[in-house]
Amino acid sequence: MRLNRSLALVLVLAIVGCEKKNESAGKVMYYDVAGGAAEIVASPFSCGEEIVRDEGLGKLQIGASVDSVAANCAVLRDTTFVGAEGMPTRKLLVLFSRDTVEAEIVNNRIWRVSVVSPLYRTVDSLGVGTPLSRLLQLKNPRGMTGEGKFFVASPEHCGMSFRLTNAGPRAQRGDLDRAGLARLPASAVVSEILVFGCHLSSS
């Protein structure tokens, strides 16, 4: 979930114990979202590699504890709300160098990661904005519905699925093979990557 664009500036302070051991550690970090642009002016945080992989993004890894994420990344928001089927759902909004990524928490650990920014992509350049035609090139792509949304998954990326928008009414049927996916509108594109880890997809 992206930051509310009505917020022109989010200010995060880094607190450090030593005054001179690491001068950059005391810098103030500005996250400027005015006009949809995001820019980190100075940041003491690094949440790691910014490539979407089957087990997560940088230090935001499936199974990692909330404490470890908070210690290594800038957590802008930690909220609990009523989710699917009336169950409480806890989510973290984590700041990377160019945009935010959302993580869903179960038992105080990262259970699922949602990437909706086009800035973060897989090693083979899949991400938000990728057309359906590119997903059809993956190994054994399958279309399925979940939580009222339509996703494409492939064993080539065992720990993630790609949510499609503009998929048309055929997508509501779910369980589509490559041939069925090829009949969907050419305008269908990826709007979100859900990362849940290969261990979950194979269980």
Side-chain angles (χ1 to χ4, degrees):
M1 183 180 296
R2 297 179 67 86
L3 294 177
N4 190 321
R5 296 188 185 281
S6 66
L7 297 177
L9 197 65
V10 175
L11 177 65
V12 181
L13 297 177
I15 302 175
V16 292
C18 298
E19 294 182 358
K20 293 186 178 180
K21 280 189 176 181
N22 187 354
E23 296 180 358
S24 64
K27 288 184 178 179
V28 176
M29 177 169 57
Y30 296 94
Y31 187 80
D32 186 3
V33 293
E39 179 181 2
I40 302 302
V41 178
S43 172
F45 295 98
S46 173
C47 208
E49 181 186 48
E50 297 184 350
I51 297 176
V52 184
R53 299 186 184 276
D54 289 313
E55 300 299 328
L57 181 72
K59 296 174 184 176
L60 193 61
Q61 294 288 303
I62 303 301
S65 69
V66 171
D67 288 344
S68 69
V69 173
N72 291 288
C73 307
V75 177
L76 299 186
R77 188 162 63 236
D78 183 344
T79 57
T80 300
F81 60 95
V82 178
E85 300 180 356
M87 299 297 292
T89 301
R90 182 184 179 190
K91 291 186 177 182
L92 303 181
L93 187 67
V94 179
L95 179 66
F96 280 76
S97 71
R98 298 176 293 168
D99 213 329
T100 55
V101 175
E102 189 177 74
E104 191 168 342
I105 310 303
V106 173
N107 296 328
N108 212 40
R109 293 187 176 276
I110 305 299
W111 178 66
R112 187 167 65 178
V113 173
S114 169
V115 180
V116 295
S117 170
L119 298 177
Y120 303 127
R121 311 183 81 79
T122 65
V123 291
D124 49 352
S125 298
L126 302 179
V128 172
T130 295
L132 171 61
S133 58
R134 175 64 182 84
L135 298 183
L136 291 176
Q137 298 174 20
L138 296 174
K139 178 181 179 182
N140 298 327
R142 301 290 301 190
M144 64 201 74
T145 55
E147 301 178 2
K149 304 170 185 176
F150 184 74
F151 297 88
V152 174
S154 164
E156 197 168 328
H157 287 286
C158 60
M160 66 181 73
S161 59
F162 303 90
R163 180 187 174 190
L164 290 186
T165 57
N166 303 324
R170 285 179 179 268
Q172 297 175 7
R173 304 174 186 175
D175 193 21
L176 300 178
D177 58 11
R178 189 194 305 274
L181 288 170
R183 296 188 185 97
L184 299 182
S187 59
V189 296
V190 175
S191 61
E192 178 184 20
I193 303 177
L194 284 183
V195 182
F196 40 79
C198 290
H199 67 286
L200 181 59
S201 63
S202 61
S203 61

